[in-house]
Coordinates of all heavy atoms in Angstrom, one line a residue:
M16 N 11.4 -8.8 -1.7 CA 9.9 -8.6 -1.3 C 9.8 -7.4 -0.5 O 8.7 -6.8 -0.5 CB 9.4 -9.8 -0.5 CG 9.0 -11.0 -1.3 SD 8.4 -12.3 -0.3 CE 7.0 -11.6 0.5
L17 N 10.9 -6.8 0.1 CA 10.8 -5.7 0.9 C 10.2 -4.5 0.3 O 9.3 -3.8 0.9 CB 12.2 -5.4 1.5 CG 12.8 -6.4 2.5 CD1 14.2 -5.9 3.0 CD2 11.9 -6.5 3.8
P18 N 10.6 -4.1 -1.0 CA 9.9 -2.9 -1.5 C 8.4 -3.2 -1.9 O 7.7 -2.2 -2.0 CB 10.8 -2.7 -2.8 CG 12.0 -3.5 -2.6 CD 11.6 -4.7 -1.7
F19 N 8.1 -4.4 -1.8 CA 6.6 -4.6 -2.2 C 5.8 -5.2 -1.0 O 4.7 -5.8 -1.2 CB 6.5 -5.7 -3.3 CG 7.5 -5.4 -4.5 CD1 8.7 -6.0 -4.6 CD2 7.1 -4.4 -5.4 CE1 9.6 -5.7 -5.7 CE2 8.0 -4.1 -6.4 CZ 9.2 -4.7 -6.6
S20 N 6.3 -4.9 0.2 CA 5.5 -5.3 1.4 C 4.7 -4.2 2.1 O 4.0 -4.6 3.0 CB 6.7 -5.9 2.4 OG 7.5 -4.8 2.8
G21 N 4.9 -3.0 1.6 CA 4.1 -2.0 2.4 C 4.8 -1.5 3.6 O 4.1 -0.8 4.4
V22 N 5.9 -2.0 3.9 CA 6.5 -1.8 5.3 C 7.2 -0.4 5.3 O 7.1 0.3 6.3 CB 7.5 -2.9 5.6 CG1 8.5 -2.5 6.7 CG2 6.8 -4.2 5.9
F23 N 7.9 0.0 4.3 CA 8.6 1.2 4.3 C 7.9 2.4 3.6 O 8.3 3.6 3.9 CB 10.0 1.0 3.6 CG 10.9 0.0 4.4 CD1 11.1 -1.2 4.0 CD2 11.5 0.4 5.6 CE1 11.8 -2.2 4.7 CE2 12.3 -0.5 6.3 CZ 12.5 -1.8 5.8
F24 N 7.0 2.2 2.8 CA 6.1 3.3 2.3 C 4.8 2.8 2.0 O 4.5 1.5 1.5 CB 6.8 3.7 0.9 CG 6.9 2.7 -0.1 CD1 5.9 2.5 -1.1 CD2 8.1 2.0 -0.3 CE1 6.1 1.5 -2.0 CE2 8.3 1.0 -1.3 CZ 7.2 0.9 -2.2
P25 N 3.7 3.6 2.2 CA 2.3 3.3 1.9 C 2.1 3.4 0.3 O 2.7 4.1 -0.3 CB 1.5 4.3 2.7 CG 2.5 5.5 2.9 CD 3.9 5.0 2.8
L26 N 0.9 2.9 0.0 CA 0.5 2.8 -1.5 C 0.2 4.2 -2.0 O 0.3 4.5 -3.2 CB -0.6 1.9 -1.7 CG -0.2 0.4 -2.0 CD1 -1.5 -0.4 -2.3 CD2 0.8 0.3 -3.2
Y27 N -0.3 5.1 -1.1 CA -0.7 6.5 -1.6 C 0.5 7.2 -2.2 O 0.2 8.2 -3.0 CB -1.4 7.2 -0.6 CG -0.5 7.9 0.5 CD1 0.0 9.2 0.1 CD2 -0.1 7.4 1.7 CE1 0.8 9.9 1.0 CE2 0.7 8.0 2.5 CZ 1.2 9.3 2.2 OH 2.0 10.0 3.1
V28 N 1.7 6.9 -1.8 CA 2.9 7.6 -2.5 C 3.3 7.1 -3.8 O 4.1 7.6 -4.4 CB 4.1 7.6 -1.5 CG1 3.6 8.1 -0.1 CG2 4.6 6.2 -1.3
V29 N 2.7 5.9 -4.1 CA 3.0 5.4 -5.4 C 2.2 5.9 -6.5 O 1.0 5.8 -6.5 CB 2.9 3.8 -5.4 CG1 3.3 3.1 -6.7 CG2 3.7 3.2 -4.3
P30 N 2.7 6.3 -7.6 CA 1.9 6.8 -8.7 C 1.3 5.9 -9.6 O 1.7 4.6 -9.5 CB 2.9 7.7 -9.6 CG 4.2 7.0 -9.3 CD 4.1 6.6 -7.9
E31 N 0.2 6.2 -10.2 CA -0.5 5.3 -11.1 C 0.5 5.1 -12.4 O 1.1 6.1 -12.7 CB -1.8 5.7 -11.5 CG -2.8 5.9 -10.4 CD -3.3 4.5 -9.8 OE1 -2.8 3.5 -10.5 OE2 -4.1 4.5 -9.0
P32 N 0.4 4.0 -13.1 CA -0.3 2.8 -12.9 C 0.3 1.7 -11.9 O -0.2 0.8 -11.7 CB -0.5 2.1 -14.3 CG 0.8 2.5 -14.9 CD 1.3 3.9 -14.4
Y33 N 1.5 2.1 -11.4 CA 2.3 1.2 -10.6 C 1.5 0.9 -9.2 O 1.6 -0.2 -8.8 CB 3.6 1.8 -10.2 CG 4.4 2.4 -11.4 CD1 4.5 3.8 -11.6 CD2 4.8 1.5 -12.3 CE1 5.2 4.3 -12.7 CE2 5.6 2.0 -13.5 CZ 5.6 3.4 -13.6 OH 6.3 3.8 -14.8
R34 N 0.7 1.7 -8.8 CA -0.1 1.5 -7.6 C -1.1 0.3 -7.8 O -1.2 -0.6 -7.1 CB -0.9 2.6 -7.1 CG -1.7 2.4 -5.8 CD -2.7 3.6 -5.6 NE -2.0 4.8 -5.4 CZ -2.5 6.0 -5.7 NH1 -3.7 6.1 -6.1 NH2 -1.8 7.1 -5.4
D35 N -1.8 0.4 -9.0 CA -2.7 -0.8 -9.3 C -1.9 -2.0 -9.5 O -2.4 -3.1 -9.1 CB -3.5 -0.4 -10.6 CG -4.5 0.7 -10.5 OD1 -4.9 0.9 -9.3 OD2 -4.9 1.4 -11.3
W36 N -0.7 -2.0 -10.0 CA 0.0 -3.2 -10.2 C 0.4 -3.9 -8.9 O 0.3 -5.0 -8.8 CB 1.3 -2.9 -11.1 CG 1.1 -2.4 -12.5 CD1 -0.2 -2.4 -13.1 CD2 2.0 -1.9 -13.3 NE1 -0.1 -1.9 -14.4 CE2 1.3 -1.6 -14.6 CE3 3.4 -1.7 -13.3 CZ2 2.0 -1.0 -15.7 CZ3 4.0 -1.1 -14.4 CH2 3.3 -0.8 -15.5
L37 N 0.8 -3.0 -7.9 CA 1.2 -3.4 -6.6 C -0.1 -4.1 -5.9 O 0.2 -5.1 -5.1 CB 1.8 -2.3 -5.8 CG 3.2 -1.9 -6.2 CD1 3.6 -0.6 -5.3 CD2 4.2 -2.9 -6.0
M38 N -1.1 -3.7 -6.1 CA -2.4 -4.1 -5.5 C -2.8 -5.5 -5.9 O -3.6 -6.2 -5.3 CB -3.5 -3.2 -5.7 CG -3.5 -1.9 -5.0 SD -4.7 -0.7 -5.3 CE -6.1 -1.5 -4.7
Y39 N -2.0 -6.2 -6.9 CA -2.2 -7.5 -7.2 C -1.5 -8.4 -6.3 O -1.7 -9.7 -6.2 CB -1.7 -7.8 -8.6 CG -2.7 -7.3 -9.7 CD1 -2.5 -6.2 -10.5 CD2 -3.9 -8.0 -9.9 CE1 -3.4 -5.8 -11.4 CE2 -4.9 -7.6 -10.9 CZ -4.5 -6.4 -11.5 OH -5.5 -6.0 -12.6
F40 N -0.5 -7.8 -5.5 CA 0.2 -8.6 -4.5 C -0.6 -8.7 -3.2 O -0.8 -7.6 -2.6 CB 1.6 -8.0 -4.3 CG 2.5 -8.8 -3.4 CD1 2.5 -10.2 -3.5 CD2 3.4 -8.2 -2.6 CE1 3.4 -10.9 -2.8 CE2 4.3 -8.9 -1.9 CZ 4.3 -10.2 -1.9
P41 N -1.1 -9.8 -2.7 CA -1.9 -9.9 -1.6 C -1.3 -9.3 -0.2 O -2.0 -8.9 0.7 CB -2.3 -11.3 -1.4 CG -1.2 -12.1 -2.2 CD -0.8 -11.2 -3.2
L42 N 0.0 -9.5 -0.1 CA 0.6 -9.0 1.1 C 0.5 -7.5 1.3 O 0.1 -7.0 2.4 CB 2.1 -9.4 1.2 CG 3.0 -8.6 2.3 CD1 2.4 -9.2 3.6 CD2 4.4 -9.1 2.2
I43 N 0.7 -6.7 0.2 CA 0.6 -5.3 0.4 C -0.9 -4.8 0.5 O -1.2 -3.9 1.2 CB 1.3 -4.5 -0.9 CG1 1.6 -3.1 -0.5 CG2 0.4 -4.6 -2.1 CD1 2.5 -2.4 -1.4
D44 N -1.7 -5.6 0.0 CA -3.2 -5.3 0.3 C -3.5 -5.6 1.7 O -4.3 -4.8 2.3 CB -4.1 -6.4 -0.6 CG -4.5 -5.7 -2.0 OD1 -3.8 -4.7 -2.3 OD2 -5.4 -6.2 -2.7
A45 N -3.1 -6.7 2.3 CA -3.3 -7.0 3.7 C -2.7 -5.9 4.6 O -3.4 -5.5 5.5 CB -2.8 -8.3 4.1
V46 N -1.6 -5.5 4.3 CA -0.8 -4.4 5.1 C -1.6 -3.1 4.9 O -1.8 -2.4 5.9 CB 0.6 -4.3 4.7 CG1 1.3 -3.1 5.3 CG2 1.4 -5.5 5.0
E47 N -2.1 -2.8 3.8 CA -2.9 -1.6 3.6 C -4.2 -1.6 4.3 O -4.6 -0.6 5.0 CB -3.2 -1.4 2.1 CG -2.1 -0.8 1.3 CD -1.8 0.6 1.6 OE1 -2.7 1.5 1.3 OE2 -0.7 1.0 2.2
F48 N -4.8 -2.8 4.5 CA -6.0 -2.8 5.2 C -5.7 -2.8 6.7 O -6.5 -2.1 7.5 CB -6.7 -4.3 4.9 CG -8.1 -4.4 5.5 CD1 -9.1 -3.5 5.2 CD2 -8.3 -5.2 6.5 CE1 -10.4 -3.7 5.7 CE2 -9.6 -5.4 7.1 CZ -10.5 -4.6 6.7
F49 N -4.5 -3.3 7.1 CA -4.1 -3.2 8.4 C -3.9 -1.8 8.8 O -4.3 -1.2 9.8 CB -2.8 -4.0 8.6 CG -2.1 -3.9 10.0 CD1 -2.7 -4.3 11.1 CD2 -0.8 -3.3 10.0 CE1 -2.1 -4.2 12.3 CE2 -0.1 -3.2 11.3 CZ -0.8 -3.6 12.4
H50 N -3.3 -0.9 7.8 CA -3.0 0.5 8.0 C -4.4 1.2 8.1 O -4.5 2.2 8.8 CB -2.3 1.0 6.9 CG -0.8 0.7 6.8 ND1 0.0 0.8 5.7 CD2 -0.1 0.3 7.9 CE1 1.2 0.4 6.0 NE2 1.2 0.0 7.4
H51 N -5.3 0.7 7.2 CA -6.7 1.4 7.3 C -7.3 1.3 8.7 O -7.9 2.2 9.1 CB -7.6 0.7 6.3 CG -9.0 1.2 6.3 ND1 -9.4 2.5 5.9 CD2 -10.1 0.6 6.6 CE1 -10.7 2.6 6.1 NE2 -11.2 1.5 6.5
G52 N -7.1 0.1 9.3 CA -7.7 -0.1 10.7 C -6.9 0.8 11.7 O -7.6 1.3 12.6
Y53 N -5.6 1.0 11.6 CA -4.8 1.8 12.5 C -5.0 3.3 12.2 O -5.4 4.0 13.1 CB -3.4 1.4 12.5 CG -2.6 2.4 13.3 CD1 -2.5 2.1 14.8 CD2 -1.8 3.4 12.8 CE1 -1.8 3.0 15.5 CE2 -1.0 4.2 13.6 CZ -1.0 4.0 14.9 OH -0.3 4.9 15.7
F54 N -4.8 3.8 11.0 CA -4.7 5.2 10.7 C -6.1 5.7 10.5 O -6.3 7.0 10.7 CB -3.8 5.5 9.5 CG -2.3 5.2 9.8 CD1 -1.7 4.1 9.2 CD2 -1.6 6.1 10.6 CE1 -0.4 4.0 9.5 CE2 -0.2 5.9 10.8 CZ 0.4 4.8 10.3
G55 N -7.0 5.0 9.9 CA -8.3 5.5 9.6 C -8.3 6.6 8.5 O -7.5 6.4 7.6
P56 N -9.0 7.6 8.7 CA -9.0 8.7 7.6 C -7.7 9.6 7.7 O -7.5 10.4 6.8 CB -10.2 9.6 8.0 CG -10.3 9.4 9.5 CD -10.0 7.9 9.6
Q57 N -6.9 9.3 8.6 CA -5.6 10.1 8.7 C -4.6 9.8 7.5 O -3.9 10.7 7.1 CB -4.8 9.7 10.1 CG -3.6 10.6 10.3 CD -3.0 10.2 11.6 OE1 -3.2 9.2 12.2 NE2 -2.0 11.0 12.1
M58 N -4.7 8.6 6.9 CA -4.0 8.3 5.8 C -4.7 7.5 4.7 O -5.4 6.6 5.0 CB -2.7 7.3 6.2 CG -1.7 7.1 5.2 SD -0.3 6.0 5.7 CE -1.1 4.5 5.7
P59 N -4.6 7.9 3.4 CA -5.3 7.2 2.4 C -4.8 5.7 2.1 O -3.6 5.5 2.3 CB -5.0 8.1 1.1 CG -4.4 9.4 1.6 CD -3.8 9.1 2.9
T60 N -5.7 4.9 2.0 CA -5.2 3.5 1.9 C -6.0 2.8 0.7 O -7.0 3.2 0.4 CB -5.5 2.6 3.1 OG1 -6.9 2.8 3.6 CG2 -4.6 3.0 4.3
Y61 N -5.3 1.9 0.1 CA -5.9 1.2 -1.1 C -5.7 -0.3 -1.0 O -4.7 -0.9 -0.6 CB -5.1 1.6 -2.3 CG -5.1 3.1 -2.6 CD1 -4.2 4.0 -2.0 CD2 -6.1 3.7 -3.4 CE1 -4.3 5.3 -2.2 CE2 -6.2 5.0 -3.7 CZ -5.2 5.9 -3.1 OH -5.2 7.2 -3.2

C-alpha cells in the first residue's frame, strides 16, 4: 500500500492515465485533500 498512499509522492507527479486510476483509491484521495488544506495553491492536488 505504501506506493499508493500519497506519503512519498504527490499525485501531480503521476502521469495520466495512471493518476486517474490512483484516484479510485480513497486513501490517496483523502491524503491529497489533506495536502490541499496544508499546501493550498503552493502544490497542485487532485
Side-chain angles (χ1 to χ4, degrees):
M16 282 178 60
L17 288 176
F19 311 103
S20 63
V22 169
F23 296 102
F24 58 86
L26 272 183
Y27 81 86
V28 304
V29 180
E31 298 288 2
Y33 308 109
R34 182 193 299 156
D35 287 338
W36 297 351
L37 287 175
M38 290 173 68
Y39 284 106
F40 188 35
L42 173 59
I43 202 166
D44 269 17
V46 173
E47 281 287 295
F48 188 65
F49 176 65
H50 287 162
H51 175 67
Y53 173 77
F54 292 107
Q57 189 181 9
M58 188 179 77
T60 50
Y61 300 86

